[in-house]
Amino acid sequence: MKTFVKFAAIGALLTIAACSRPAQQGPLVNDPYANMGAGSVGASALPGTAEHFKATAGDTVLFPVDQSTLTPEARTTLANQAGWLNQNQAFSARIEGHADEQGTREYNLALGARRASSVQEYLISQGVAAGRLRTVSYGKERPLEICSTEECYTKNRRAVTVVSPGAGM
């Protein structure tokens, strides 16, 4: 009789535990568009999209003060960009060169152009067709942040690769 009571108690506990779990809401569906709200970029970005490029290859490389020479970190990012562009031949890219707010407008436009050109040359060296790439310099006209600290200036010394569908932009 004691064994029966033990089994009955265990059965009752299991029943209570099963009832305390929330019921599953409908069937499980693998939705590739889930978590892709406005402005979200991440692992859920669909392959072959501009969001996927940004999430997997990275779209920005940074430069030292007054330089357009690619750092080792920049070369790694650009190698990833080139790989993505070579796998997604239906996309072209606009390379935007930027500078921090120090210096004249003219100097920073020229520096931004040199930075964009460095990125373009590297991508071409990695097999991306020159006809799919275009450069533009914004100099100091489009900062990520307006500031007067070195940490902030560093974010504005950059080149951004913007991809879009089409053979040329």
Side-chain angles (χ1 to χ4, degrees):
M1 182 78 167
K2 285 184 179 180
T3 305
F4 176 75
V5 172
K6 285 181 187 177
F7 284 122
I10 291 172
L13 288 175
L14 290 175
T15 302
I16 291 170
C19 291
S20 67
R21 293 183 189 153
Q24 205 172 30
Q25 301 291 323
L28 292 177
V29 177
N30 185 9
D31 182 2
Y33 297 99
N35 301 319
M36 289 202 52
S40 77
V41 175
S44 65
L46 290 175
T49 63
E51 293 82 12
H52 186 256
F53 170 80
K54 188 173 182 178
T56 59
D59 66 343
T60 302
V61 294
L62 301 176
F63 292 88
V65 178
D66 295 329
Q67 291 188 30
S68 57
T69 305
L70 298 172
T71 65
E73 295 83 12
R75 289 177 184 274
T76 299
T77 299
L78 294 174
N80 291 334
Q81 288 182 10
W84 192 94
L85 286 164
N86 286 329
Q87 289 179 353
N88 294 275
Q89 296 285 323
F91 281 78
S92 58
R94 181 182 68 245
I95 304 158
E96 302 173 344
H98 300 270
D100 63 36
E101 66 185 55
Q102 301 174 93
T104 66
R105 180 179 186 275
E106 294 77 18
Y107 175 82
N108 284 318
L109 282 171
L111 180 57
R114 289 193 305 274
R115 288 174 174 168
S117 181
S118 290
V119 169
Q120 179 184 39
E121 290 171 13
Y122 188 86
L123 292 174
I124 291 169
S125 78
Q126 298 298 302
V128 179
R132 295 174 56 208
L133 303 173
R134 187 171 70 92
T135 63
V136 63
S137 176
Y138 293 114
K140 63 182 182 178
E141 305 302 318
R142 293 189 179 184
L144 286 178
E145 295 186 25
I146 298 173
C147 55
S148 55
T149 65
E150 183 58 31
E151 178 184 352
C152 187
Y153 288 150
T154 300
K155 296 175 186 176
N156 292 326
R157 299 177 193 131
R158 68 196 192 283
V160 180
T161 305
V162 180
V163 298
S164 63
M169 298 176 74

